[in-house]
mmCIF file of all heavy atoms in Angstrom:
data_model
loop_
_atom_site.group_PDB
_atom_site.id
_atom_site.type_symbol
_atom_site.label_atom_id
_atom_site.label_comp_id
_atom_site.label_asym_id
_atom_site.label_seq_id
_atom_site.Cartn_x
_atom_site.Cartn_y
_atom_site.Cartn_z
ATOM 1 N N MET Q 57 66.684 32.917 39.593
ATOM 2 C CA MET Q 57 67.768 33.689 39.256
ATOM 3 C C MET Q 57 67.635 34.334 37.914
ATOM 4 O O MET Q 57 67.531 33.549 36.897
ATOM 5 C CB MET Q 57 69.040 32.632 39.370
ATOM 6 C CG MET Q 57 69.318 31.792 38.220
ATOM 7 S SD MET Q 57 70.516 30.613 38.537
ATOM 8 C CE MET Q 57 70.828 29.952 36.992
ATOM 9 N N ALA Q 58 67.594 35.569 37.888
ATOM 10 C CA ALA Q 58 67.387 36.222 36.555
ATOM 11 C C ALA Q 58 68.665 36.873 36.073
ATOM 12 O O ALA Q 58 69.379 37.330 36.918
ATOM 13 C CB ALA Q 58 66.315 37.226 36.700
ATOM 14 N N LEU Q 59 68.983 36.683 34.924
ATOM 15 C CA LEU Q 59 70.254 37.294 34.361
ATOM 16 C C LEU Q 59 69.875 37.871 32.992
ATOM 17 O O LEU Q 59 69.147 37.311 32.150
ATOM 18 C CB LEU Q 59 71.265 36.246 34.027
ATOM 19 C CG LEU Q 59 72.632 36.620 33.720
ATOM 20 C CD1 LEU Q 59 73.260 37.493 34.795
ATOM 21 C CD2 LEU Q 59 73.486 35.351 33.309
ATOM 22 N N GLU Q 60 70.371 39.186 32.793
ATOM 23 C CA GLU Q 60 70.040 39.777 31.542
ATOM 24 C C GLU Q 60 71.195 39.831 30.612
ATOM 25 O O GLU Q 60 72.457 39.920 30.972
ATOM 26 C CB GLU Q 60 69.693 41.243 31.758
ATOM 27 C CG GLU Q 60 68.298 41.342 32.431
ATOM 28 C CD GLU Q 60 67.718 42.631 32.103
ATOM 29 O OE1 GLU Q 60 68.365 43.738 31.917
ATOM 30 O OE2 GLU Q 60 66.415 42.814 32.010
ATOM 31 N N GLY Q 61 70.957 39.705 29.394
ATOM 32 C CA GLY Q 61 72.003 39.702 28.329
ATOM 33 C C GLY Q 61 71.414 40.334 27.196
ATOM 34 O O GLY Q 61 70.340 40.622 26.973
ATOM 35 N N ARG Q 62 72.310 40.619 26.197
ATOM 36 C CA ARG Q 62 71.893 41.238 24.998
ATOM 37 C C ARG Q 62 71.509 40.163 24.020
ATOM 38 O O ARG Q 62 72.312 39.339 23.581
ATOM 39 C CB ARG Q 62 73.159 42.068 24.454
ATOM 40 C CG ARG Q 62 72.791 42.743 23.170
ATOM 41 C CD ARG Q 62 72.487 44.222 23.442
ATOM 42 N NE ARG Q 62 72.236 44.908 22.122
ATOM 43 C CZ ARG Q 62 71.424 45.921 22.060
ATOM 44 N NH1 ARG Q 62 70.908 46.365 23.072
ATOM 45 N NH2 ARG Q 62 71.263 46.666 20.805
ATOM 46 N N CYS Q 63 70.389 40.325 23.443
ATOM 47 C CA CYS Q 63 69.914 39.320 22.506
ATOM 48 C C CYS Q 63 70.167 39.925 21.093
ATOM 49 O O CYS Q 63 69.827 40.996 20.936
ATOM 50 C CB CYS Q 63 68.288 39.116 22.659
ATOM 51 S SG CYS Q 63 67.791 37.949 21.401
ATOM 52 N N MET Q 64 70.828 39.110 20.331
ATOM 53 C CA MET Q 64 71.233 39.595 18.965
ATOM 54 C C MET Q 64 70.064 39.663 18.016
ATOM 55 O O MET Q 64 70.043 40.509 17.085
ATOM 56 C CB MET Q 64 72.194 38.642 18.447
ATOM 57 C CG MET Q 64 73.656 38.665 19.127
ATOM 58 S SD MET Q 64 74.235 40.431 19.131
ATOM 59 C CE MET Q 64 75.815 40.202 20.153
ATOM 60 N N ARG Q 65 69.116 38.819 18.306
ATOM 61 C CA ARG Q 65 67.961 38.813 17.370
ATOM 62 C C ARG Q 65 67.027 39.907 17.665
ATOM 63 O O ARG Q 65 66.513 40.621 16.812
ATOM 64 C CB ARG Q 65 67.148 37.486 17.461
ATOM 65 C CG ARG Q 65 66.146 37.316 16.312
ATOM 66 C CD ARG Q 65 65.463 36.102 16.300
ATOM 67 N NE ARG Q 65 66.310 35.017 15.816
ATOM 68 C CZ ARG Q 65 65.982 33.730 15.729
ATOM 69 N NH1 ARG Q 65 64.676 33.326 16.057
ATOM 70 N NH2 ARG Q 65 66.802 32.844 15.216
ATOM 71 N N CYS Q 66 66.796 40.076 19.022
ATOM 72 C CA CYS Q 66 65.754 41.216 19.435
ATOM 73 C C CYS Q 66 66.400 42.523 19.446
ATOM 74 O O CYS Q 66 65.732 43.518 19.431
ATOM 75 C CB CYS Q 66 65.306 40.813 20.881
ATOM 76 S SG CYS Q 66 64.370 39.319 21.159
ATOM 77 N N LYS Q 67 67.759 42.553 19.390
ATOM 78 C CA LYS Q 67 68.516 43.783 19.565
ATOM 79 C C LYS Q 67 67.995 44.581 20.673
ATOM 80 O O LYS Q 67 68.042 45.661 20.668
ATOM 81 C CB LYS Q 67 68.337 44.613 18.206
ATOM 82 C CG LYS Q 67 69.061 43.921 17.105
ATOM 83 C CD LYS Q 67 68.991 44.823 15.906
ATOM 84 C CE LYS Q 67 69.886 44.431 14.851
ATOM 85 N NZ LYS Q 67 69.194 43.083 14.259
ATOM 86 N N GLU Q 68 67.725 43.727 21.817
ATOM 87 C CA GLU Q 68 67.346 44.339 23.061
ATOM 88 C C GLU Q 68 68.029 43.574 24.134
ATOM 89 O O GLU Q 68 68.555 42.469 23.977
ATOM 90 C CB GLU Q 68 65.844 44.227 23.310
ATOM 91 C CG GLU Q 68 64.992 44.822 22.329
ATOM 92 C CD GLU Q 68 64.767 46.426 22.582
ATOM 93 O OE1 GLU Q 68 65.270 46.788 23.696
ATOM 94 O OE2 GLU Q 68 64.192 46.908 21.737
ATOM 95 N N ASN Q 69 68.095 44.236 25.379
ATOM 96 C CA ASN Q 69 68.441 43.449 26.672
ATOM 97 C C ASN Q 69 67.347 42.604 27.098
ATOM 98 O O ASN Q 69 66.136 43.116 27.242
ATOM 99 C CB ASN Q 69 68.907 44.357 27.707
ATOM 100 C CG ASN Q 69 70.228 44.939 27.400
ATOM 101 O OD1 ASN Q 69 71.203 44.392 26.684
ATOM 102 N ND2 ASN Q 69 70.617 46.102 28.071
ATOM 103 N N ARG Q 70 67.547 41.259 27.103
ATOM 104 C CA ARG Q 70 66.395 40.376 27.454
ATOM 105 C C ARG Q 70 66.961 39.475 28.602
ATOM 106 O O ARG Q 70 68.100 39.140 28.764
ATOM 107 C CB ARG Q 70 66.258 39.324 26.321
ATOM 108 C CG ARG Q 70 65.662 40.112 25.078
ATOM 109 C CD ARG Q 70 64.295 40.641 25.393
ATOM 110 N NE ARG Q 70 63.739 40.975 24.090
ATOM 111 C CZ ARG Q 70 62.775 41.832 23.909
ATOM 112 N NH1 ARG Q 70 62.281 42.391 24.913
ATOM 113 N NH2 ARG Q 70 62.211 41.975 22.691
ATOM 114 N N GLU Q 71 65.993 38.971 29.317
ATOM 115 C CA GLU Q 71 66.248 38.024 30.435
ATOM 116 C C GLU Q 71 66.667 36.735 29.801
ATOM 117 O O GLU Q 71 66.025 36.205 28.770
ATOM 118 C CB GLU Q 71 65.065 37.780 31.270
ATOM 119 C CG GLU Q 71 65.368 37.438 32.695
ATOM 120 C CD GLU Q 71 64.197 37.630 33.646
ATOM 121 O OE1 GLU Q 71 63.780 38.703 33.967
ATOM 122 O OE2 GLU Q 71 63.531 36.624 33.969
ATOM 123 N N MET Q 72 67.575 36.110 30.410
ATOM 124 C CA MET Q 72 67.977 34.720 29.869
ATOM 125 C C MET Q 72 67.348 33.637 30.706
ATOM 126 O O MET Q 72 67.193 33.679 31.833
ATOM 127 C CB MET Q 72 69.543 34.561 30.036
ATOM 128 C CG MET Q 72 70.342 35.361 29.242
ATOM 129 S SD MET Q 72 72.099 35.519 29.643
ATOM 130 C CE MET Q 72 72.666 33.852 29.134
ATOM 131 N N LYS Q 73 66.939 32.478 29.958
ATOM 132 C CA LYS Q 73 66.452 31.301 30.675
ATOM 133 C C LYS Q 73 67.461 30.181 30.393
ATOM 134 O O LYS Q 73 68.192 30.271 29.534
ATOM 135 C CB LYS Q 73 65.042 30.971 30.219
ATOM 136 C CG LYS Q 73 65.077 30.554 28.625
ATOM 137 C CD LYS Q 73 63.528 30.200 28.285
ATOM 138 C CE LYS Q 73 63.440 29.882 26.859
ATOM 139 N NZ LYS Q 73 62.214 29.600 26.446
ATOM 140 N N ASP Q 74 67.258 29.125 31.130
ATOM 141 C CA ASP Q 74 68.049 27.941 31.051
ATOM 142 C C ASP Q 74 69.453 28.306 31.228
ATOM 143 O O ASP Q 74 70.404 27.833 30.492
ATOM 144 C CB ASP Q 74 67.838 27.120 29.640
ATOM 145 C CG ASP Q 74 66.348 26.720 29.510
ATOM 146 O OD1 ASP Q 74 65.727 26.625 30.602
ATOM 147 O OD2 ASP Q 74 65.929 26.543 28.361
ATOM 148 N N VAL Q 75 69.830 29.108 32.204
ATOM 149 C CA VAL Q 75 71.123 29.674 32.293
ATOM 150 C C VAL Q 75 72.064 28.578 32.898
ATOM 151 O O VAL Q 75 71.825 27.902 33.773
ATOM 152 C CB VAL Q 75 71.240 30.870 33.130
ATOM 153 C CG1 VAL Q 75 72.570 31.471 33.421
ATOM 154 C CG2 VAL Q 75 70.309 31.973 32.607
ATOM 155 N N LYS Q 76 73.213 28.502 32.250
ATOM 156 C CA LYS Q 76 74.332 27.663 32.668
ATOM 157 C C LYS Q 76 75.512 28.486 32.952
ATOM 158 O O LYS Q 76 75.917 29.028 31.844
ATOM 159 C CB LYS Q 76 74.493 26.464 31.800
ATOM 160 C CG LYS Q 76 73.393 25.418 31.793
ATOM 161 C CD LYS Q 76 73.786 24.115 31.071
ATOM 162 C CE LYS Q 76 72.720 22.973 31.252
ATOM 163 N NZ LYS Q 76 71.456 23.464 30.415
ATOM 164 N N VAL Q 77 76.301 28.333 34.031
ATOM 165 C CA VAL Q 77 77.424 29.049 34.181
ATOM 166 C C VAL Q 77 78.511 28.165 34.053
ATOM 167 O O VAL Q 77 78.556 27.096 34.659
ATOM 168 C CB VAL Q 77 77.451 29.735 35.485
ATOM 169 C CG1 VAL Q 77 78.737 30.517 35.775
ATOM 170 C CG2 VAL Q 77 76.240 30.885 35.561
ATOM 171 N N ALA Q 78 79.639 28.570 33.222
ATOM 172 C CA ALA Q 78 80.861 27.751 33.175
ATOM 173 C C ALA Q 78 82.141 28.509 33.301
ATOM 174 O O ALA Q 78 82.034 29.784 32.731
ATOM 175 C CB ALA Q 78 80.827 27.015 31.883
ATOM 176 N N PRO Q 79 83.088 28.137 34.012
ATOM 177 C CA PRO Q 79 84.303 28.969 34.024
ATOM 178 C C PRO Q 79 85.025 28.820 32.700
ATOM 179 O O PRO Q 79 85.001 27.931 32.020
ATOM 180 C CB PRO Q 79 85.138 28.117 35.097
ATOM 181 C CG PRO Q 79 84.520 26.722 35.232
ATOM 182 C CD PRO Q 79 83.206 26.804 34.808
ATOM 183 N N THR Q 80 85.858 29.889 32.448
ATOM 184 C CA THR Q 80 86.614 29.964 31.286
ATOM 185 C C THR Q 80 88.033 29.889 31.635
ATOM 186 O O THR Q 80 88.467 29.848 32.714
ATOM 187 C CB THR Q 80 86.374 31.396 30.544
ATOM 188 O OG1 THR Q 80 86.940 32.385 31.402
ATOM 189 C CG2 THR Q 80 85.002 31.607 30.332
ATOM 190 N N ALA Q 81 88.865 29.705 30.600
ATOM 191 C CA ALA Q 81 90.332 29.500 30.877
ATOM 192 C C ALA Q 81 90.959 30.680 31.412
ATOM 193 O O ALA Q 81 91.963 30.673 31.971
ATOM 194 C CB ALA Q 81 91.009 29.061 29.501
ATOM 195 N N ARG Q 82 90.327 31.840 31.364
ATOM 196 C CA ARG Q 82 90.912 33.073 31.752
ATOM 197 C C ARG Q 82 90.581 33.365 33.116
ATOM 198 O O ARG Q 82 90.878 34.375 33.798
ATOM 199 C CB ARG Q 82 90.394 34.190 30.843
ATOM 200 C CG ARG Q 82 90.970 34.280 29.402
ATOM 201 C CD ARG Q 82 90.400 35.302 28.666
ATOM 202 N NE ARG Q 82 91.339 35.964 27.927
ATOM 203 C CZ ARG Q 82 91.215 37.182 27.324
ATOM 204 N NH1 ARG Q 82 90.098 37.780 27.536
ATOM 205 N NH2 ARG Q 82 92.192 37.755 26.675
ATOM 206 N N GLY Q 83 89.774 32.472 33.797
ATOM 207 C CA GLY Q 83 89.439 32.727 35.319
ATOM 208 C C GLY Q 83 88.086 33.517 35.291
ATOM 209 O O GLY Q 83 87.753 33.876 36.505
ATOM 210 N N THR Q 84 87.528 33.968 34.320
ATOM 211 C CA THR Q 84 86.207 34.486 34.356
ATOM 212 C C THR Q 84 85.141 33.423 34.244
ATOM 213 O O THR Q 84 85.386 32.303 34.062
ATOM 214 C CB THR Q 84 86.065 35.611 33.279
ATOM 215 O OG1 THR Q 84 86.209 34.936 31.942
ATOM 216 C CG2 THR Q 84 87.004 36.754 33.598
ATOM 217 N N PHE Q 85 83.909 33.772 34.094
ATOM 218 C CA PHE Q 85 82.832 32.972 33.985
ATOM 219 C C PHE Q 85 81.979 33.425 32.839
ATOM 220 O O PHE Q 85 81.830 34.444 32.517
ATOM 221 C CB PHE Q 85 82.052 32.844 35.285
ATOM 222 C CG PHE Q 85 82.625 32.140 36.431
ATOM 223 C CD1 PHE Q 85 83.580 32.916 37.083
ATOM 224 C CD2 PHE Q 85 82.518 30.865 36.584
ATOM 225 C CE1 PHE Q 85 84.359 32.286 38.205
ATOM 226 C CE2 PHE Q 85 83.191 30.295 37.712
ATOM 227 C CZ PHE Q 85 84.045 30.904 38.370
ATOM 228 N N MET Q 86 81.431 32.270 32.172
ATOM 229 C CA MET Q 86 80.506 32.515 31.000
ATOM 230 C C MET Q 86 79.209 31.953 31.305
ATOM 231 O O MET Q 86 79.086 30.799 31.769
ATOM 232 C CB MET Q 86 81.213 31.841 29.750
ATOM 233 C CG MET Q 86 80.379 31.846 28.509
ATOM 234 S SD MET Q 86 80.428 33.583 27.659
ATOM 235 C CE MET Q 86 81.989 33.079 26.717
ATOM 236 N N ALA Q 87 78.238 32.781 31.178
ATOM 237 C CA ALA Q 87 76.833 32.194 31.244
ATOM 238 C C ALA Q 87 76.196 32.145 29.866
ATOM 239 O O ALA Q 87 76.417 32.884 28.973
ATOM 240 C CB ALA Q 87 75.960 33.327 32.038
ATOM 241 N N ARG Q 88 75.576 30.886 29.705
ATOM 242 C CA ARG Q 88 75.049 30.642 28.440
ATOM 243 C C ARG Q 88 73.527 30.410 28.748
ATOM 244 O O ARG Q 88 73.198 29.709 29.760
ATOM 245 C CB ARG Q 88 75.522 29.366 27.750
ATOM 246 C CG ARG Q 88 76.974 29.669 27.377
ATOM 247 C CD ARG Q 88 77.533 28.255 26.694
ATOM 248 N NE ARG Q 88 78.985 28.370 26.566
ATOM 249 C CZ ARG Q 88 79.408 28.981 25.425
ATOM 250 N NH1 ARG Q 88 78.693 29.558 24.529
ATOM 251 N NH2 ARG Q 88 80.731 29.056 25.280
ATOM 252 N N GLY Q 89 72.596 30.924 27.949
ATOM 253 C CA GLY Q 89 71.186 30.705 28.045
ATOM 254 C C GLY Q 89 70.456 31.091 26.841
ATOM 255 O O GLY Q 89 70.919 31.223 25.819
ATOM 256 N N LYS Q 90 69.071 31.217 27.006
ATOM 257 C CA LYS Q 90 68.355 31.480 25.951
ATOM 258 C C LYS Q 90 67.464 32.663 26.099
ATOM 259 O O LYS Q 90 67.075 32.877 27.282
ATOM 260 C CB LYS Q 90 67.420 30.228 25.503
ATOM 261 C CG LYS Q 90 68.226 29.105 24.873
ATOM 262 C CD LYS Q 90 67.273 27.981 24.634
ATOM 263 C CE LYS Q 90 68.123 26.974 23.976
ATOM 264 N NZ LYS Q 90 67.343 25.730 23.874
ATOM 265 N N CYS Q 91 67.216 33.473 25.128
ATOM 266 C CA CYS Q 91 66.329 34.689 25.222
ATOM 267 C C CYS Q 91 64.941 34.151 25.566
ATOM 268 O O CYS Q 91 64.411 33.216 24.897
ATOM 269 C CB CYS Q 91 66.311 35.290 23.893
ATOM 270 S SG CYS Q 91 65.203 36.696 23.811
ATOM 271 N N THR Q 92 64.385 34.802 26.599
ATOM 272 C CA THR Q 92 62.921 34.368 26.981
ATOM 273 C C THR Q 92 61.954 34.761 25.944
ATOM 274 O O THR Q 92 60.870 34.238 26.011
ATOM 275 C CB THR Q 92 62.524 35.035 28.349
ATOM 276 O OG1 THR Q 92 62.868 36.421 28.210
ATOM 277 C CG2 THR Q 92 63.445 34.509 29.495
ATOM 278 N N VAL Q 93 62.311 35.664 25.005
ATOM 279 C CA VAL Q 93 61.332 36.166 24.064
ATOM 280 C C VAL Q 93 61.388 35.218 22.678
ATOM 281 O O VAL Q 93 60.359 34.874 22.215
ATOM 282 C CB VAL Q 93 61.506 37.576 23.794
ATOM 283 C CG1 VAL Q 93 60.582 38.034 22.674
ATOM 284 C CG2 VAL Q 93 61.345 38.455 24.938
ATOM 285 N N CYS Q 94 62.559 35.184 22.088
ATOM 286 C CA CYS Q 94 62.642 34.488 20.891
ATOM 287 C C CYS Q 94 63.439 33.120 20.821
ATOM 288 O O CYS Q 94 63.456 32.437 19.959
ATOM 289 C CB CYS Q 94 63.439 35.435 19.815
ATOM 290 S SG CYS Q 94 65.129 35.743 20.126
ATOM 291 N N GLY Q 95 64.056 32.767 22.033
ATOM 292 C CA GLY Q 95 64.619 31.598 22.213
ATOM 293 C C GLY Q 95 66.104 31.437 21.642
ATOM 294 O O GLY Q 95 66.741 30.463 21.541
ATOM 295 N N THR Q 96 66.570 32.553 21.123
ATOM 296 C CA THR Q 96 68.054 32.607 20.481
ATOM 297 C C THR Q 96 69.024 32.381 21.710
ATOM 298 O O THR Q 96 68.784 32.922 22.759
ATOM 299 C CB THR Q 96 68.297 33.978 19.853
ATOM 300 O OG1 THR Q 96 67.282 34.173 18.708
ATOM 301 C CG2 THR Q 96 69.678 34.057 19.509
ATOM 302 N N ASN Q 97 70.083 31.580 21.382
ATOM 303 C CA ASN Q 97 71.190 31.457 22.349
ATOM 304 C C ASN Q 97 71.806 32.704 22.621
ATOM 305 O O ASN Q 97 72.155 33.463 21.768
ATOM 306 C CB ASN Q 97 72.173 30.362 21.860
ATOM 307 C CG ASN Q 97 71.599 28.905 21.821
ATOM 308 O OD1 ASN Q 97 70.765 28.602 22.631
ATOM 309 N ND2 ASN Q 97 71.893 28.146 20.809
ATOM 310 N N MET Q 98 72.138 32.957 23.942
ATOM 311 C CA MET Q 98 72.764 34.012 24.410
ATOM 312 C C MET Q 98 74.025 33.704 25.180
ATOM 313 O O MET Q 98 73.911 32.673 25.872
ATOM 314 C CB MET Q 98 71.830 35.064 25.259
ATOM 315 C CG MET Q 98 70.751 35.584 24.314
ATOM 316 S SD MET Q 98 69.365 36.074 25.432
ATOM 317 C CE MET Q 98 70.109 37.580 26.131
ATOM 318 N N ALA Q 99 74.848 34.458 25.313
ATOM 319 C CA ALA Q 99 76.154 34.244 26.219
ATOM 320 C C ALA Q 99 76.473 35.602 26.808
ATOM 321 O O ALA Q 99 76.417 36.641 26.138
ATOM 322 C CB ALA Q 99 77.275 33.619 25.390
ATOM 323 N N LYS Q 100 77.061 35.498 27.886
ATOM 324 C CA LYS Q 100 77.367 36.663 28.678
ATOM 325 C C LYS Q 100 78.611 36.425 29.431
ATOM 326 O O LYS Q 100 78.700 35.404 30.132
ATOM 327 C CB LYS Q 100 76.178 37.199 29.453
ATOM 328 C CG LYS Q 100 76.440 38.507 30.346
ATOM 329 C CD LYS Q 100 75.195 38.747 31.124
ATOM 330 C CE LYS Q 100 75.368 39.958 31.987
ATOM 331 N NZ LYS Q 100 75.250 41.187 31.399
ATOM 332 N N ILE Q 101 79.735 37.307 29.539
ATOM 333 C CA ILE Q 101 80.750 37.173 30.389
ATOM 334 C C ILE Q 101 80.396 37.559 31.738
ATOM 335 O O ILE Q 101 79.866 38.639 31.831
ATOM 336 C CB ILE Q 101 81.934 37.992 29.912
ATOM 337 C CG1 ILE Q 101 82.337 37.571 28.492
ATOM 338 C CG2 ILE Q 101 83.147 37.774 30.765
ATOM 339 C CD1 ILE Q 101 83.176 36.263 28.357
ATOM 340 N N LEU Q 102 80.727 36.821 32.849
ATOM 341 C CA LEU Q 102 80.375 37.215 34.138
ATOM 342 C C LEU Q 102 81.607 37.464 34.883
ATOM 343 O O LEU Q 102 82.647 36.908 34.713
ATOM 344 C CB LEU Q 102 79.621 36.144 34.815
ATOM 345 C CG LEU Q 102 78.378 35.688 34.289
ATOM 346 C CD1 LEU Q 102 77.694 34.571 35.097
ATOM 347 C CD2 LEU Q 102 77.293 36.785 34.286
ATOM 348 N N SER Q 103 81.584 38.367 35.932
ATOM 349 C CA SER Q 103 82.597 38.493 36.800
ATOM 350 C C SER Q 103 82.495 37.360 37.867
ATOM 351 O O SER Q 103 81.432 36.681 37.832
ATOM 352 C CB SER Q 103 82.457 39.747 37.614
ATOM 353 O OG SER Q 103 81.518 39.895 38.438
ATOM 354 N N LYS Q 104 83.498 37.073 38.612
ATOM 355 C CA LYS Q 104 83.377 36.017 39.632
ATOM 356 C C LYS Q 104 82.247 36.247 40.609
ATOM 357 O O LYS Q 104 81.519 35.311 40.987
ATOM 358 C CB LYS Q 104 84.676 35.865 40.435
ATOM 359 C CG LYS Q 104 84.747 34.534 41.145
ATOM 360 C CD LYS Q 104 86.067 34.321 41.783
ATOM 361 C CE LYS Q 104 85.954 32.892 42.451
ATOM 362 N NZ LYS Q 104 87.220 32.753 43.412
ATOM 363 N N GLU Q 105 82.002 37.568 41.012
ATOM 364 C CA GLU Q 105 80.995 37.927 41.932
ATOM 365 C C GLU Q 105 79.521 37.633 41.399
ATOM 366 O O GLU Q 105 78.769 37.131 42.152
ATOM 367 C CB GLU Q 105 80.972 39.403 42.301
ATOM 368 C CG GLU Q 105 82.147 39.829 43.077
ATOM 369 C CD GLU Q 105 83.510 40.072 42.202
ATOM 370 O OE1 GLU Q 105 83.453 40.935 41.357
ATOM 371 O OE2 GLU Q 105 84.474 39.456 42.526
ATOM 372 N N GLN Q 106 79.403 37.909 40.104
ATOM 373 C CA GLN Q 106 78.137 37.688 39.463
ATOM 374 C C GLN Q 106 78.002 36.125 39.327
ATOM 375 O O GLN Q 106 76.770 35.672 39.594
ATOM 376 C CB GLN Q 106 78.155 38.221 38.096
ATOM 377 C CG GLN Q 106 77.934 39.681 38.033
ATOM 378 C CD GLN Q 106 78.047 40.242 36.598
ATOM 379 O OE1 GLN Q 106 79.137 39.939 35.989
ATOM 380 N NE2 GLN Q 106 77.131 40.873 36.196
ATOM 381 N N ALA Q 107 78.971 35.266 38.908
ATOM 382 C CA ALA Q 107 78.823 33.906 38.991
ATOM 383 C C ALA Q 107 78.597 33.350 40.252
ATOM 384 O O ALA Q 107 77.578 32.427 40.440
ATOM 385 C CB ALA Q 107 80.116 33.371 38.398
ATOM 386 N N GLU Q 108 79.037 33.903 41.421
ATOM 387 C CA GLU Q 108 78.761 33.367 42.791
ATOM 388 C C GLU Q 108 77.229 33.445 43.089
ATOM 389 O O GLU Q 108 76.668 32.676 43.654
ATOM 390 C CB GLU Q 108 79.682 33.979 43.866
ATOM 391 C CG GLU Q 108 81.109 33.642 43.586
ATOM 392 C CD GLU Q 108 81.489 32.342 43.992
ATOM 393 O OE1 GLU Q 108 80.769 31.736 44.913
ATOM 394 O OE2 GLU Q 108 82.473 31.777 43.606
ATOM 395 N N LYS Q 109 76.668 34.688 42.690
ATOM 396 C CA LYS Q 109 75.260 35.012 42.992
ATOM 397 C C LYS Q 109 74.301 33.959 42.379
ATOM 398 O O LYS Q 109 73.264 33.755 42.766
ATOM 399 C CB LYS Q 109 74.943 36.470 42.504
ATOM 400 C CG LYS Q 109 75.345 37.467 43.525
ATOM 401 C CD LYS Q 109 74.961 38.748 43.022
ATOM 402 C CE LYS Q 109 75.875 39.845 43.628
ATOM 403 N NZ LYS Q 109 75.617 41.169 42.913
ATOM 404 N N LEU Q 110 74.767 33.470 41.217
ATOM 405 C CA LEU Q 110 73.888 32.619 40.353
ATOM 406 C C LEU Q 110 73.830 31.190 40.901
ATOM 407 O O LEU Q 110 73.101 30.428 40.433
ATOM 408 C CB LEU Q 110 74.337 32.696 38.982
ATOM 409 C CG LEU Q 110 73.994 34.042 38.372
ATOM 410 C CD1 LEU Q 110 74.618 34.043 36.848
ATOM 411 C CD2 LEU Q 110 72.628 34.182 38.083
ATOM 412 N N LYS Q 111 74.726 30.915 41.849
ATOM 413 C CA LYS Q 111 74.825 29.489 42.233
ATOM 414 C C LYS Q 111 73.634 29.076 43.060
ATOM 415 O O LYS Q 111 73.161 30.022 43.790
ATOM 416 C CB LYS Q 111 76.103 29.078 42.851
ATOM 417 C CG LYS Q 111 77.195 29.037 41.915
ATOM 418 C CD LYS Q 111 78.611 28.644 42.622
ATOM 419 C CE LYS Q 111 79.672 28.661 41.610
ATOM 420 N NZ LYS Q 111 80.908 28.714 42.289
HETATM 421 ZN ZN1 LIG L 208 65.558 37.542 21.658
#
């Protein structure tokens, strides 16, 4: 399961590793992971459809 997010350190879109998906209070989902290049923590808001695909 590959998920891309914006890495603040690389200033590029990077693949996330160690992704964990958690629901938020607003009914959306948040993916948390690390940049595969530099290891910086990344977070990305997911739609429900995206979150379902990651399970
Ligand atoms: Zn990075």
Side-chain angles (χ1 to χ4, degrees):
M57 83 184 191
L59 184 66
E60 285 205 336
R62 180 99 179 151
C63 175
M64 293 304 176
R65 187 179 289 181
C66 299
K67 295 186 169 63
E68 298 278 354
N69 286 332
R70 296 295 196 203
E71 208 167 287
M72 290 166 73
K73 65 177 180 181
D74 302 336
V75 178
K76 291 193 175 72
V77 178
T80 68
R82 293 174 134 197
T84 58
F85 289 82
M86 176 79 86
R88 292 179 191 281
K90 288 181 180 175
C91 175
T92 51
V93 177
C94 71
T96 296
N97 289 324
M98 297 164 70
K100 183 183 172 77
I101 303 280
L102 300 177
S103 68
K104 193 171 184 197
E105 292 81 59
Q106 287 174 305
E108 292 290 332
K109 278 184 206 163
L110 290 169
K111 280 181 183 168

